[in-house]
PDB file of all heavy atoms in Angstrom:
ATOM      1  N   PHE A   1      33.446  25.549 -17.389  1.00 93.00           N
ATOM      2  CA  PHE A   1      33.700  26.660 -16.404  1.00 93.00           C
ATOM      3  C   PHE A   1      35.091  26.252 -15.765  1.00 93.00           C
ATOM      4  O   PHE A   1      35.842  27.317 -15.711  1.00 93.00           O
ATOM      5  CB  PHE A   1      32.547  26.641 -15.298  1.00 93.00           C
ATOM      6  CG  PHE A   1      33.017  27.516 -14.151  1.00 93.00           C
ATOM      7  CD1 PHE A   1      32.953  28.875 -14.215  1.00 93.00           C
ATOM      8  CD2 PHE A   1      33.392  26.937 -12.954  1.00 93.00           C
ATOM      9  CE1 PHE A   1      33.261  29.665 -13.159  1.00 93.00           C
ATOM     10  CE2 PHE A   1      33.781  27.732 -11.901  1.00 93.00           C
ATOM     11  CZ  PHE A   1      33.692  29.107 -11.965  1.00 93.00           C
ATOM     12  N   LEU A   2      35.376  25.121 -15.397  1.00 94.00           N
ATOM     13  CA  LEU A   2      36.595  24.784 -14.744  1.00 94.00           C
ATOM     14  C   LEU A   2      37.815  24.889 -15.513  1.00 94.00           C
ATOM     15  O   LEU A   2      38.953  25.325 -15.133  1.00 94.00           O
ATOM     16  CB  LEU A   2      36.526  23.312 -14.149  1.00 94.00           C
ATOM     17  CG  LEU A   2      35.625  22.998 -13.100  1.00 94.00           C
ATOM     18  CD1 LEU A   2      35.648  21.518 -12.659  1.00 94.00           C
ATOM     19  CD2 LEU A   2      35.870  23.908 -11.759  1.00 94.00           C
ATOM     20  N   PHE A   3      37.762  24.651 -16.811  1.00 94.00           N
ATOM     21  CA  PHE A   3      38.995  24.685 -17.648  1.00 94.00           C
ATOM     22  C   PHE A   3      39.033  25.657 -18.790  1.00 94.00           C
ATOM     23  O   PHE A   3      39.984  25.571 -19.558  1.00 94.00           O
ATOM     24  CB  PHE A   3      39.061  23.182 -18.200  1.00 94.00           C
ATOM     25  CG  PHE A   3      39.129  22.099 -17.127  1.00 94.00           C
ATOM     26  CD1 PHE A   3      38.233  21.147 -16.945  1.00 94.00           C
ATOM     27  CD2 PHE A   3      40.146  22.176 -16.131  1.00 94.00           C
ATOM     28  CE1 PHE A   3      38.239  20.259 -15.925  1.00 94.00           C
ATOM     29  CE2 PHE A   3      40.136  21.352 -15.040  1.00 94.00           C
ATOM     30  CZ  PHE A   3      39.225  20.282 -15.001  1.00 94.00           C
ATOM     31  N   ASN A   4      38.143  26.621 -18.834  1.00 93.00           N
ATOM     32  CA  ASN A   4      38.300  27.825 -19.583  1.00 93.00           C
ATOM     33  C   ASN A   4      39.358  28.606 -19.011  1.00 93.00           C
ATOM     34  O   ASN A   4      39.646  28.496 -17.707  1.00 93.00           O
ATOM     35  CB  ASN A   4      36.906  28.581 -19.622  1.00 93.00           C
ATOM     36  CG  ASN A   4      36.987  29.754 -20.645  1.00 93.00           C
ATOM     37  OD1 ASN A   4      37.937  30.064 -21.179  1.00 93.00           O
ATOM     38  ND2 ASN A   4      35.872  30.438 -20.616  1.00 93.00           N
ATOM     39  N   SER A   5      39.991  29.260 -19.850  1.00 87.00           N
ATOM     40  CA  SER A   5      41.196  30.165 -19.412  1.00 87.00           C
ATOM     41  C   SER A   5      40.872  31.530 -19.540  1.00 87.00           C
ATOM     42  O   SER A   5      40.385  32.165 -18.609  1.00 87.00           O
ATOM     43  CB  SER A   5      42.472  29.810 -20.096  1.00 87.00           C
ATOM     44  OG  SER A   5      43.503  30.447 -19.608  1.00 87.00           O
ATOM     45  N   TYR A   6      41.216  32.166 -20.641  1.00 75.00           N
ATOM     46  CA  TYR A   6      41.084  33.628 -20.873  1.00 75.00           C
ATOM     47  C   TYR A   6      40.011  33.881 -21.930  1.00 75.00           C
ATOM     48  O   TYR A   6      39.975  34.958 -22.548  1.00 75.00           O
ATOM     49  CB  TYR A   6      42.285  34.344 -21.164  1.00 75.00           C
ATOM     50  CG  TYR A   6      43.382  34.117 -20.087  1.00 75.00           C
ATOM     51  CD1 TYR A   6      44.436  33.374 -20.086  1.00 75.00           C
ATOM     52  CD2 TYR A   6      43.109  34.879 -18.749  1.00 75.00           C
ATOM     53  CE1 TYR A   6      45.299  33.261 -19.041  1.00 75.00           C
ATOM     54  CE2 TYR A   6      43.964  34.697 -17.746  1.00 75.00           C
ATOM     55  CZ  TYR A   6      45.093  33.915 -17.888  1.00 75.00           C
ATOM     56  OH  TYR A   6      45.891  33.830 -16.803  1.00 75.00           O
ATOM     57  N   TYR A   7      39.320  32.867 -22.394  1.00 74.00           N
ATOM     58  CA  TYR A   7      38.355  33.056 -23.432  1.00 74.00           C
ATOM     59  C   TYR A   7      36.993  33.519 -22.952  1.00 74.00           C
ATOM     60  O   TYR A   7      36.093  32.766 -22.729  1.00 74.00           O
ATOM     61  CB  TYR A   7      38.208  31.666 -24.192  1.00 74.00           C
ATOM     62  CG  TYR A   7      39.528  31.097 -24.664  1.00 74.00           C
ATOM     63  CD1 TYR A   7      40.396  30.221 -23.879  1.00 74.00           C
ATOM     64  CD2 TYR A   7      40.005  31.405 -25.977  1.00 74.00           C
ATOM     65  CE1 TYR A   7      41.500  29.773 -24.353  1.00 74.00           C
ATOM     66  CE2 TYR A   7      41.175  30.865 -26.381  1.00 74.00           C
ATOM     67  CZ  TYR A   7      41.884  30.024 -25.574  1.00 74.00           C
ATOM     68  OH  TYR A   7      43.182  29.549 -26.167  1.00 74.00           O
ATOM     69  N   GLU A   8      36.927  34.851 -22.696  1.00 74.00           N
ATOM     70  CA  GLU A   8      35.864  35.286 -22.205  1.00 74.00           C
ATOM     71  C   GLU A   8      34.491  35.122 -22.992  1.00 74.00           C
ATOM     72  O   GLU A   8      33.412  35.035 -22.506  1.00 74.00           O
ATOM     73  CB  GLU A   8      35.947  36.923 -22.047  1.00 74.00           C
ATOM     74  CG  GLU A   8      37.024  37.223 -20.906  1.00 74.00           C
ATOM     75  CD  GLU A   8      37.074  38.614 -20.458  1.00 74.00           C
ATOM     76  OE1 GLU A   8      36.117  39.437 -20.710  1.00 74.00           O
ATOM     77  OE2 GLU A   8      38.133  38.986 -19.918  1.00 74.00           O
ATOM     78  N   ALA A   9      34.721  35.098 -24.291  1.00 75.00           N
ATOM     79  CA  ALA A   9      33.523  34.879 -25.225  1.00 75.00           C
ATOM     80  C   ALA A   9      32.981  33.379 -25.032  1.00 75.00           C
ATOM     81  O   ALA A   9      31.799  33.127 -25.371  1.00 75.00           O
ATOM     82  CB  ALA A   9      33.979  35.054 -26.586  1.00 75.00           C
ATOM     83  N   ALA A  10      33.738  32.498 -24.484  1.00 78.00           N
ATOM     84  CA  ALA A  10      33.313  31.123 -24.258  1.00 78.00           C
ATOM     85  C   ALA A  10      32.588  30.931 -22.829  1.00 78.00           C
ATOM     86  O   ALA A  10      32.283  29.893 -22.510  1.00 78.00           O
ATOM     87  CB  ALA A  10      34.555  30.201 -24.241  1.00 78.00           C
ATOM     88  N   GLY A  11      32.617  32.061 -22.050  1.00 80.00           N
ATOM     89  CA  GLY A  11      31.888  31.984 -20.865  1.00 80.00           C
ATOM     90  C   GLY A  11      32.713  32.228 -19.664  1.00 80.00           C
ATOM     91  O   GLY A  11      33.972  32.530 -19.673  1.00 80.00           O
ATOM     92  N   PRO A  12      32.147  32.143 -18.433  1.00 79.00           N
ATOM     93  CA  PRO A  12      32.884  32.337 -17.280  1.00 79.00           C
ATOM     94  C   PRO A  12      33.873  31.294 -16.982  1.00 79.00           C
ATOM     95  O   PRO A  12      33.838  30.203 -17.517  1.00 79.00           O
ATOM     96  CB  PRO A  12      31.718  32.363 -16.075  1.00 79.00           C
ATOM     97  CG  PRO A  12      30.702  31.645 -16.714  1.00 79.00           C
ATOM     98  CD  PRO A  12      30.677  31.819 -18.155  1.00 79.00           C
ATOM     99  N   ARG A  13      34.739  31.510 -15.969  1.00 85.00           N
ATOM    100  CA  ARG A  13      35.885  30.620 -15.630  1.00 85.00           C
ATOM    101  C   ARG A  13      36.255  30.636 -14.278  1.00 85.00           C
ATOM    102  O   ARG A  13      36.072  31.533 -13.597  1.00 85.00           O
ATOM    103  CB  ARG A  13      37.135  30.816 -16.539  1.00 85.00           C
ATOM    104  CG  ARG A  13      37.715  32.286 -16.347  1.00 85.00           C
ATOM    105  CD  ARG A  13      38.500  32.616 -17.641  1.00 85.00           C
ATOM    106  NE  ARG A  13      39.001  33.953 -17.386  1.00 85.00           N
ATOM    107  CZ  ARG A  13      38.183  35.156 -17.690  1.00 85.00           C
ATOM    108  NH1 ARG A  13      37.125  35.070 -18.171  1.00 85.00           N
ATOM    109  NH2 ARG A  13      38.833  36.356 -17.460  1.00 85.00           N
ATOM    110  N   HIS A  14      36.878  29.484 -13.859  1.00 84.00           N
ATOM    111  CA  HIS A  14      37.361  29.477 -12.384  1.00 84.00           C
ATOM    112  C   HIS A  14      38.595  30.295 -12.424  1.00 84.00           C
ATOM    113  O   HIS A  14      39.556  30.277 -13.373  1.00 84.00           O
ATOM    114  CB  HIS A  14      37.658  27.890 -12.272  1.00 84.00           C
ATOM    115  CG  HIS A  14      38.186  27.628 -10.858  1.00 84.00           C
ATOM    116  ND1 HIS A  14      37.269  27.651  -9.765  1.00 84.00           N
ATOM    117  CD2 HIS A  14      39.419  27.352 -10.317  1.00 84.00           C
ATOM    118  CE1 HIS A  14      38.030  27.371  -8.600  1.00 84.00           C
ATOM    119  NE2 HIS A  14      39.359  27.171  -8.984  1.00 84.00           N
ATOM    120  N   ALA A  15      38.843  30.984 -11.158  1.00 85.00           N
ATOM    121  CA  ALA A  15      39.914  31.902 -11.134  1.00 85.00           C
ATOM    122  C   ALA A  15      41.330  31.191 -11.235  1.00 85.00           C
ATOM    123  O   ALA A  15      41.461  30.189 -10.509  1.00 85.00           O
ATOM    124  CB  ALA A  15      39.778  32.671  -9.761  1.00 85.00           C
ATOM    125  N   ARG A  16      42.169  31.610 -12.014  1.00 88.00           N
ATOM    126  CA  ARG A  16      43.588  31.016 -12.074  1.00 88.00           C
ATOM    127  C   ARG A  16      44.291  30.750 -10.860  1.00 88.00           C
ATOM    128  O   ARG A  16      44.790  29.615 -10.599  1.00 88.00           O
ATOM    129  CB  ARG A  16      44.329  32.049 -13.068  1.00 88.00           C
ATOM    130  CG  ARG A  16      45.734  31.325 -13.383  1.00 88.00           C
ATOM    131  CD  ARG A  16      46.525  32.194 -14.103  1.00 88.00           C
ATOM    132  NE  ARG A  16      47.843  31.671 -14.486  1.00 88.00           N
ATOM    133  CZ  ARG A  16      48.631  32.088 -15.433  1.00 88.00           C
ATOM    134  NH1 ARG A  16      48.311  33.201 -16.153  1.00 88.00           N
ATOM    135  NH2 ARG A  16      49.775  31.372 -15.746  1.00 88.00           N
ATOM    136  N   PRO A  17      44.268  31.794  -9.899  1.00 89.00           N
ATOM    137  CA  PRO A  17      45.058  31.582  -8.577  1.00 89.00           C
ATOM    138  C   PRO A  17      44.528  30.391  -7.741  1.00 89.00           C
ATOM    139  O   PRO A  17      45.153  29.967  -6.914  1.00 89.00           O
ATOM    140  CB  PRO A  17      44.971  32.878  -7.845  1.00 89.00           C
ATOM    141  CG  PRO A  17      44.592  33.844  -8.986  1.00 89.00           C
ATOM    142  CD  PRO A  17      43.857  33.183 -10.066  1.00 89.00           C
ATOM    143  N   LYS A  18      43.298  29.903  -8.164  1.00 93.00           N
ATOM    144  CA  LYS A  18      42.617  28.845  -7.394  1.00 93.00           C
ATOM    145  C   LYS A  18      42.595  27.590  -7.988  1.00 93.00           C
ATOM    146  O   LYS A  18      41.905  26.574  -7.608  1.00 93.00           O
ATOM    147  CB  LYS A  18      41.330  29.275  -6.919  1.00 93.00           C
ATOM    148  CG  LYS A  18      41.266  30.484  -5.992  1.00 93.00           C
ATOM    149  CD  LYS A  18      39.879  30.896  -5.542  1.00 93.00           C
ATOM    150  CE  LYS A  18      40.057  32.040  -4.658  1.00 93.00           C
ATOM    151  NZ  LYS A  18      38.738  32.460  -3.997  1.00 93.00           N
ATOM    152  N   ARG A  19      43.338  27.434  -9.040  1.00 94.00           N
ATOM    153  CA  ARG A  19      43.281  26.097  -9.897  1.00 94.00           C
ATOM    154  C   ARG A  19      43.747  24.847  -9.004  1.00 94.00           C
ATOM    155  O   ARG A  19      43.356  23.650  -9.072  1.00 94.00           O
ATOM    156  CB  ARG A  19      44.082  26.252 -11.154  1.00 94.00           C
ATOM    157  CG  ARG A  19      43.401  27.077 -12.220  1.00 94.00           C
ATOM    158  CD  ARG A  19      44.249  27.325 -13.307  1.00 94.00           C
ATOM    159  NE  ARG A  19      43.533  28.332 -14.273  1.00 94.00           N
ATOM    160  CZ  ARG A  19      44.096  28.850 -15.326  1.00 94.00           C
ATOM    161  NH1 ARG A  19      45.455  28.683 -15.585  1.00 94.00           N
ATOM    162  NH2 ARG A  19      43.398  29.736 -16.042  1.00 94.00           N
ATOM    163  N   GLY A  20      44.687  25.239  -8.182  1.00 91.00           N
ATOM    164  CA  GLY A  20      45.428  24.109  -7.310  1.00 91.00           C
ATOM    165  C   GLY A  20      44.299  23.663  -6.191  1.00 91.00           C
ATOM    166  O   GLY A  20      44.507  22.657  -5.480  1.00 91.00           O
ATOM    167  N   MET A  21      43.175  24.392  -6.077  1.00 93.00           N
ATOM    168  CA  MET A  21      42.087  23.950  -5.076  1.00 93.00           C
ATOM    169  C   MET A  21      41.300  22.786  -5.655  1.00 93.00           C
ATOM    170  O   MET A  21      40.398  22.312  -4.953  1.00 93.00           O
ATOM    171  CB  MET A  21      41.316  25.128  -4.748  1.00 93.00           C
ATOM    172  CG  MET A  21      42.252  26.277  -3.958  1.00 93.00           C
ATOM    173  SD  MET A  21      43.023  25.793  -2.530  1.00 93.00           S
ATOM    174  CE  MET A  21      41.646  25.450  -1.364  1.00 93.00           C
ATOM    175  N   LEU A  22      41.413  22.633  -6.896  1.00 93.00           N
ATOM    176  CA  LEU A  22      40.466  21.633  -7.603  1.00 93.00           C
ATOM    177  C   LEU A  22      41.063  20.270  -7.449  1.00 93.00           C
ATOM    178  O   LEU A  22      41.687  19.584  -8.361  1.00 93.00           O
ATOM    179  CB  LEU A  22      40.462  22.006  -9.179  1.00 93.00           C
ATOM    180  CG  LEU A  22      39.824  23.355  -9.520  1.00 93.00           C
ATOM    181  CD1 LEU A  22      39.948  23.558 -11.014  1.00 93.00           C
ATOM    182  CD2 LEU A  22      38.398  23.426  -9.038  1.00 93.00           C
ATOM    183  N   THR A  23      40.691  19.568  -6.380  1.00 93.00           N
ATOM    184  CA  THR A  23      41.019  18.174  -6.125  1.00 93.00           C
ATOM    185  C   THR A  23      40.114  17.317  -6.896  1.00 93.00           C
ATOM    186  O   THR A  23      40.369  16.167  -7.173  1.00 93.00           O
ATOM    187  CB  THR A  23      40.979  17.780  -4.570  1.00 93.00           C
ATOM    188  OG1 THR A  23      39.668  18.085  -4.193  1.00 93.00           O
ATOM    189  CG2 THR A  23      41.893  18.658  -3.736  1.00 93.00           C
ATOM    190  N   ARG A  24      39.034  17.868  -7.349  1.00 95.00           N
ATOM    191  CA  ARG A  24      38.027  17.185  -8.230  1.00 95.00           C
ATOM    192  C   ARG A  24      37.834  18.029  -9.469  1.00 95.00           C
ATOM    193  O   ARG A  24      37.727  19.138  -9.240  1.00 95.00           O
ATOM    194  CB  ARG A  24      36.672  16.770  -7.451  1.00 95.00           C
ATOM    195  CG  ARG A  24      36.918  16.229  -6.094  1.00 95.00           C
ATOM    196  CD  ARG A  24      37.034  14.591  -6.264  1.00 95.00           C
ATOM    197  NE  ARG A  24      37.304  14.028  -4.988  1.00 95.00           N
ATOM    198  CZ  ARG A  24      36.568  13.512  -4.128  1.00 95.00           C
ATOM    199  NH1 ARG A  24      35.167  13.657  -4.370  1.00 95.00           N
ATOM    200  NH2 ARG A  24      36.889  12.977  -3.016  1.00 95.00           N
ATOM    201  N   PRO A  25      37.853  17.447 -10.538  1.00 97.00           N
ATOM    202  CA  PRO A  25      37.832  16.074 -10.938  1.00 97.00           C
ATOM    203  C   PRO A  25      39.279  15.497 -10.616  1.00 97.00           C
ATOM    204  O   PRO A  25      40.168  16.356 -10.698  1.00 97.00           O
ATOM    205  CB  PRO A  25      37.453  15.994 -12.465  1.00 97.00           C
ATOM    206  CG  PRO A  25      37.973  17.374 -12.832  1.00 97.00           C
ATOM    207  CD  PRO A  25      37.747  18.266 -11.762  1.00 97.00           C
ATOM    208  N   SER A  26      39.393  14.182 -10.556  1.00 97.00           N
ATOM    209  CA  SER A  26      40.638  13.518 -10.284  1.00 97.00           C
ATOM    210  C   SER A  26      41.433  13.522 -11.560  1.00 97.00           C
ATOM    211  O   SER A  26      40.945  13.852 -12.646  1.00 97.00           O
ATOM    212  CB  SER A  26      40.336  12.103  -9.830  1.00 97.00           C
ATOM    213  OG  SER A  26      39.853  11.429 -10.964  1.00 97.00           O
ATOM    214  N   ALA A  27      42.738  13.254 -11.449  1.00 97.00           N
ATOM    215  CA  ALA A  27      43.643  13.096 -12.594  1.00 97.00           C
ATOM    216  C   ALA A  27      43.025  11.969 -13.471  1.00 97.00           C
ATOM    217  O   ALA A  27      43.225  12.090 -14.698  1.00 97.00           O
ATOM    218  CB  ALA A  27      45.023  12.821 -12.078  1.00 97.00           C
ATOM    219  N   ALA A  28      42.583  10.894 -12.850  1.00 97.00           N
ATOM    220  CA  ALA A  28      41.935   9.855 -13.729  1.00 97.00           C
ATOM    221  C   ALA A  28      40.749  10.301 -14.462  1.00 97.00           C
ATOM    222  O   ALA A  28      40.664   9.943 -15.599  1.00 97.00           O
ATOM    223  CB  ALA A  28      41.636   8.638 -12.732  1.00 97.00           C
ATOM    224  N   GLU A  29      39.919  11.037 -13.877  1.00 98.00           N
ATOM    225  CA  GLU A  29      38.760  11.576 -14.579  1.00 98.00           C
ATOM    226  C   GLU A  29      39.268  12.554 -15.752  1.00 98.00           C
ATOM    227  O   GLU A  29      38.550  12.593 -16.788  1.00 98.00           O
ATOM    228  CB  GLU A  29      37.811  12.144 -13.784  1.00 98.00           C
ATOM    229  CG  GLU A  29      36.416  12.560 -14.527  1.00 98.00           C
ATOM    230  CD  GLU A  29      35.361  13.199 -13.583  1.00 98.00           C
ATOM    231  OE1 GLU A  29      35.487  13.361 -12.458  1.00 98.00           O
ATOM    232  OE2 GLU A  29      34.269  13.346 -14.146  1.00 98.00           O
ATOM    233  N   VAL A  30      40.321  13.278 -15.478  1.00 98.00           N
ATOM    234  CA  VAL A  30      40.758  14.244 -16.474  1.00 98.00           C
ATOM    235  C   VAL A  30      41.211  13.277 -17.709  1.00 98.00           C
ATOM    236  O   VAL A  30      40.974  13.578 -18.883  1.00 98.00           O
ATOM    237  CB  VAL A  30      41.872  15.091 -16.018  1.00 98.00           C
ATOM    238  CG1 VAL A  30      42.526  15.725 -17.156  1.00 98.00           C
ATOM    239  CG2 VAL A  30      41.323  16.129 -15.134  1.00 98.00           C
ATOM    240  N   GLY A  31      41.798  12.167 -17.449  1.00 98.00           N
ATOM    241  CA  GLY A  31      42.361  11.175 -18.438  1.00 98.00           C
ATOM    242  C   GLY A  31      41.092  10.648 -19.176  1.00 98.00           C
ATOM    243  O   GLY A  31      41.169  10.565 -20.473  1.00 98.00           O
ATOM    244  N   ALA A  32      39.991  10.386 -18.538  1.00 98.00           N
ATOM    245  CA  ALA A  32      38.768   9.954 -19.161  1.00 98.00           C
ATOM    246  C   ALA A  32      38.167  10.992 -20.137  1.00 98.00           C
ATOM    247  O   ALA A  32      37.712  10.691 -21.183  1.00 98.00           O
ATOM    248  CB  ALA A  32      37.699   9.390 -18.118  1.00 98.00           C
ATOM    249  N   TYR A  33      38.308  12.239 -19.663  1.00 98.00           N
ATOM    250  CA  TYR A  33      37.909  13.334 -20.455  1.00 98.00           C
ATOM    251  C   TYR A  33      38.635  13.384 -21.735  1.00 98.00           C
ATOM    252  O   TYR A  33      38.155  13.707 -22.787  1.00 98.00           O
ATOM    253  CB  TYR A  33      37.970  14.541 -19.580  1.00 98.00           C
ATOM    254  CG  TYR A  33      37.647  15.945 -20.243  1.00 98.00           C
ATOM    255  CD1 TYR A  33      36.549  16.133 -21.121  1.00 98.00           C
ATOM    256  CD2 TYR A  33      38.272  17.053 -19.830  1.00 98.00           C
ATOM    257  CE1 TYR A  33      36.268  17.257 -21.652  1.00 98.00           C
ATOM    258  CE2 TYR A  33      38.012  18.291 -20.439  1.00 98.00           C
ATOM    259  CZ  TYR A  33      36.929  18.478 -21.320  1.00 98.00           C
ATOM    260  OH  TYR A  33      36.674  19.655 -21.876  1.00 98.00           O
ATOM    261  N   ARG A  34      40.076  13.325 -21.652  1.00 98.00           N
ATOM    262  CA  ARG A  34      40.771  13.433 -22.741  1.00 98.00           C
ATOM    263  C   ARG A  34      40.520  12.324 -23.709  1.00 98.00           C
ATOM    264  O   ARG A  34      40.414  12.474 -24.995  1.00 98.00           O
ATOM    265  CB  ARG A  34      42.355  13.334 -22.325  1.00 98.00           C
ATOM    266  CG  ARG A  34      42.740  14.587 -21.651  1.00 98.00           C
ATOM    267  CD  ARG A  34      44.262  14.551 -21.133  1.00 98.00           C
ATOM    268  NE  ARG A  34      45.186  14.383 -22.283  1.00 98.00           N
ATOM    269  CZ  ARG A  34      45.761  15.458 -22.975  1.00 98.00           C
ATOM    270  NH1 ARG A  34      45.417  16.614 -22.693  1.00 98.00           N
ATOM    271  NH2 ARG A  34      46.594  15.087 -23.935  1.00 98.00           N
ATOM    272  N   ALA A  35      40.305  11.068 -23.179  1.00 98.00           N
ATOM    273  CA  ALA A  35      39.938   9.874 -24.029  1.00 98.00           C
ATOM    274  C   ALA A  35      38.558  10.225 -24.830  1.00 98.00           C
ATOM    275  O   ALA A  35      38.500   9.826 -25.993  1.00 98.00           O
ATOM    276  CB  ALA A  35      39.843   8.714 -23.260  1.00 98.00           C
ATOM    277  N   HIS A  36      37.515  10.777 -24.020  1.00 98.00           N
ATOM    278  CA  HIS A  36      36.401  11.058 -24.691  1.00 98.00           C
ATOM    279  C   HIS A  36      36.554  12.024 -25.908  1.00 98.00           C
ATOM    280  O   HIS A  36      35.962  11.862 -26.974  1.00 98.00           O
ATOM    281  CB  HIS A  36      35.489  11.692 -23.581  1.00 98.00           C
ATOM    282  CG  HIS A  36      34.082  12.096 -24.135  1.00 98.00           C
ATOM    283  ND1 HIS A  36      33.005  11.334 -24.244  1.00 98.00           N
ATOM    284  CD2 HIS A  36      33.729  13.394 -24.355  1.00 98.00           C
ATOM    285  CE1 HIS A  36      32.011  12.004 -24.717  1.00 98.00           C
ATOM    286  NE2 HIS A  36      32.332  13.361 -24.786  1.00 98.00           N
ATOM    287  N   VAL A  37      37.231  13.183 -25.525  1.00 98.00           N
ATOM    288  CA  VAL A  37      37.533  14.151 -26.597  1.00 98.00           C
ATOM    289  C   VAL A  37      38.359  13.526 -27.772  1.00 98.00           C
ATOM    290  O   VAL A  37      37.992  13.965 -28.966  1.00 98.00           O
ATOM    291  CB  VAL A  37      38.050  15.407 -26.077  1.00 98.00           C
ATOM    292  CG1 VAL A  37      38.574  16.399 -27.121  1.00 98.00           C
ATOM    293  CG2 VAL A  37      37.008  16.083 -25.153  1.00 98.00           C
ATOM    294  N   ASP A  38      39.395  12.824 -27.428  1.00 98.00           N
ATOM    295  CA  ASP A  38      40.246  12.355 -28.464  1.00 98.00           C
ATOM    296  C   ASP A  38      39.453  11.284 -29.401  1.00 98.00           C
ATOM    297  O   ASP A  38      39.613  11.332 -30.620  1.00 98.00           O
ATOM    298  CB  ASP A  38      41.429  11.701 -27.856  1.00 98.00           C
ATOM    299  CG  ASP A  38      42.414  12.489 -27.190  1.00 98.00           C
ATOM    300  OD1 ASP A  38      42.365  13.686 -27.428  1.00 98.00           O
ATOM    301  OD2 ASP A  38      43.209  11.990 -26.485  1.00 98.00           O
ATOM    302  N   ALA A  39      38.525  10.596 -28.912  1.00 98.00           N
ATOM    303  CA  ALA A  39      37.777   9.629 -29.837  1.00 98.00           C
ATOM    304  C   ALA A  39      36.935  10.384 -30.650  1.00 98.00           C
ATOM    305  O   ALA A  39      36.721  10.105 -31.942  1.00 98.00           O
ATOM    306  CB  ALA A  39      36.897   8.795 -28.880  1.00 98.00           C
ATOM    307  N   ALA A  40      36.242  11.482 -30.145  1.00 98.00           N
ATOM    308  CA  ALA A  40      35.431  12.260 -31.071  1.00 98.00           C
ATOM    309  C   ALA A  40      36.235  13.115 -32.031  1.00 98.00           C
ATOM    310  O   ALA A  40      35.873  13.333 -33.249  1.00 98.00           O
ATOM    311  CB  ALA A  40      34.593  13.339 -30.216  1.00 98.00           C
ATOM    312  N   MET A  41      37.505  13.544 -31.591  1.00 98.00           N
ATOM    313  CA  MET A  41      38.388  14.253 -32.554  1.00 98.00           C
ATOM    314  C   MET A  41      38.887  13.413 -33.698  1.00 98.00           C
ATOM    315  O   MET A  41      39.147  13.666 -34.875  1.00 98.00           O
ATOM    316  CB  MET A  41      39.603  14.848 -31.831  1.00 98.00           C
ATOM    317  CG  MET A  41      39.132  16.091 -31.068  1.00 98.00           C
ATOM    318  SD  MET A  41      38.681  17.515 -32.198  1.00 98.00           S
ATOM    319  CE  MET A  41      40.220  17.868 -33.107  1.00 98.00           C
TER     320      MET A  41
END
């Protein structure tokens, strides 16, 4: 939900103008997310 953009077929999404309100997840957790996906890729 948080990181979908305009892919309506993939489900609902957080409003673009409010992305700066997302103090969580942290930048470090986004890094962990990237590492998780990169290992699977």
